[in-house]
Amino acid sequence: MSGTLIAFDFGTKSIGAAVGQRITGTARPLAALKANDGNPDWTLIERLLREWQPEAVIVGLPLNMDGTEQPLTARARKFANKIHGRFGVKIILHDERLSTVEARAGLFEHGGYRALNKGRIDSASAVVILESFFEQGY
């Protein structure tokens, strides 16, 4: 087990990405992937998986604040299933409630409004998802 994990924050126009290490419990953003109605360029996903060789991929599961599913939840599950089906990598779905809010706040704090571009927010959200996963002791 490498201890390396990749996280994705699924979106229909942009998919945030982050890589992290179990040993440190930290993650860092990678370039967000453009998506066309939720469909990324699968060769870019393959390239990330080959480069980082993660032991698992964490996909943020968008839920309503009360824990119920929303329309995007099923699409995020489908995205996760496609990654598993195409590349055979272990997939873990992780509750991502408030990850975008936390990511925006952190980016704004460090860079003001200029830091709030869509790709940076999505990848910062992926960092929040992955670090939250680590904090829960996985």
Side-chain angles (χ1 to χ4, degrees):
M1 299 240 285
S2 67
T4 300
L5 287 94
I6 289 179
F8 292 111
D9 178 32
F10 177 79
T12 58
K13 295 180 182 172
S14 177
I15 298 169
V19 63
Q21 296 292 325
R22 278 187 196 276
I23 197 160
T24 61
T26 60
R28 68 178 184 86
L30 299 172
L33 308 169
K34 297 267 185 248
N36 182 7
D37 194 31
N39 293 307
D41 178 343
W42 290 102
T43 59
L44 295 177
I45 301 248
E46 181 179 19
R47 196 174 301 150
L48 285 175
L49 296 175
R50 249 186 300 155
E51 179 180 352
W52 294 103
Q53 308 244 327
E55 68 181 57
V57 170
I58 311 303
V59 175
L61 194 61
L63 299 169
N64 293 316
M65 289 310 293
D66 65 1
T68 59
E69 295 197 0
Q70 54 180 282
L72 200 57
T73 309
R75 296 189 69 183
R77 284 184 198 281
K78 185 176 177 181
F79 170 72
N81 289 338
K82 281 184 180 179
I83 292 173
H84 177 72
R86 285 176 182 244
F87 308 110
V89 66
K90 179 181 177 181
I91 300 293
I92 301 168
L93 297 171
H94 185 69
D95 182 350
E96 68 164 42
R97 282 178 278 183
L98 298 178
S99 64
T100 301
V101 172
E102 188 175 327
R104 280 179 193 261
L107 286 171
F108 182 77
E109 183 178 313
H110 294 338
Y113 285 108
R114 278 182 251 166
L116 294 180
N117 76 55
K118 181 72 174 131
R120 286 187 69 181
I121 292 169
D122 292 335
S123 288
S125 294
V127 168
V128 170
I129 290 165
L130 190 48
E131 288 183 345
S132 153
F133 177 79
F134 290 143
E135 287 168 10
Q136 292 184 10
Y138 294 107

